[in-house]
Amino acid sequence: TTKEEKKEGKRQKAKETDKGPIIICVDTSGSMHGTPEQIAKVLCFAILKVALKDKRKCYLISFSTHIQTLELSDLPTSLDKLIAFLQRSFHGGTDATPAIKEAVKMLNTDNYNKSDVLLISDFIMPAFGENLQLEIEQAKANETQFHSLTISTNANKNVLNNFDNNWLYNPNNKNGLINLVKDLKNMI
């Protein structure tokens, strides 16, 4: 039994050290205005806090039809920048393509190779083009996982099909947040 516990402990430690960087794309378009955007930003902040505690590099992308980015490697020294970043919103249309292209670009750098990519949105958006879908598949072949966190019940299923893991937060479900946190613990 002791040998098995030691082996399990070694496997767990190996899993923890295998965690790479994380890239989070947060939708700040008009359809996310209000409670959905606040929920997205709170969840983003919580995920970033855990990731940085685990010494995972983090890259944040805020998007609507344009993007803004912020690289985080040390939360205490970047807290003011992060808070200012999370307070901004575009409130325009929704196009996740520039955000995913930026994420793929970062995946091709040494610092963000083999990252987990998380897109937080209501997924009320057009489907990705064929070229972008191909880039996502190539990144997946290089050990990157793409995760979606949907804050809506009207998501475009064609977009969600591009992700390895799809989580749903339904603001109308009183246990939705508890269930979501349990599911997200596996990723972070």
Side-chain angles (χ1 to χ4, degrees):
T1 306
T2 306
K3 286 181 183 179
E4 287 179 22
E5 287 177 8
K6 285 182 181 179
K7 283 183 184 178
E8 185 61 35
K10 286 180 183 179
R11 278 190 227 131
Q12 185 66 29
K13 202 174 257 188
K15 281 184 184 177
E16 289 173 7
T17 57
D18 288 341
K19 292 180 180 178
I22 187 167
I23 299 171
I24 303 177
C25 306
V26 180
D27 183 350
T28 60
S29 66
S31 64
M32 289 286 288
H33 182 72
T35 302
E37 184 177 341
Q38 290 171 350
I39 292 167
K41 289 178 177 183
V42 167
L43 289 169
C44 175
F45 185 79
I47 292 166
L48 286 169
K49 188 175 173 184
V50 172
L52 291 170
K53 181 180 150 241
D54 290 344
K55 298 189 180 359
R56 295 177 75 179
K57 292 179 185 170
C58 298
Y59 192 77
L60 187 56
I61 303 168
S62 176
F63 73 94
S64 173
T65 53
H66 296 79
I67 64 169
Q68 292 178 331
T69 63
L70 179 65
E71 185 168 10
L72 299 168
S73 54
D74 182 30
L75 187 58
T77 61
S78 304
L79 191 56
D80 290 341
K81 288 180 187 176
L82 175 60
I83 290 169
F85 187 86
L86 289 175
Q87 287 177 338
R88 290 186 223 135
S89 297
F90 286 109
H91 298 298
T94 308
D95 185 2
T97 297
I100 295 295
K101 283 186 175 187
E102 176 70 13
V104 169
K105 181 181 103 179
M106 294 307 294
L107 291 171
N108 292 318
T109 67
D110 290 337
N111 287 337
Y112 288 92
N113 190 353
K114 299 179 184 174
S115 295
D116 284 311
V117 177
L118 171 63
L119 191 120
I120 304 172
S121 175
D122 57 10
F123 287 88
I124 300 171
M125 63 182 71
F128 298 144
E130 285 183 41
N131 289 340
L132 185 55
Q133 289 179 23
L134 199 68
E135 289 181 59
I136 291 169
E137 290 305 315
Q138 289 170 344
K140 287 179 183 180
N142 194 31
E143 300 180 40
T144 290
Q145 286 200 339
F146 286 79
H147 312 276
S148 73
L149 171 50
T150 307
I151 303 173
S152 168
T153 54
N154 301 317
N156 182 340
K157 304 285 187 221
N158 293 326
V159 177
L160 293 175
N161 290 334
N162 293 284
F163 295 86
D164 298 301
N165 298 298
N166 296 298
W167 294 294
L168 172 66
Y169 173 69
N170 182 348
N172 300 324
N173 179 349
K174 67 178 185 173
N175 293 323
L177 192 55
I178 293 167
N179 295 332
L180 178 62
V181 169
K182 288 177 184 176
D183 289 341
L184 287 173
K185 277 186 175 182
N186 294 329
M187 185 196 72
I188 56 173

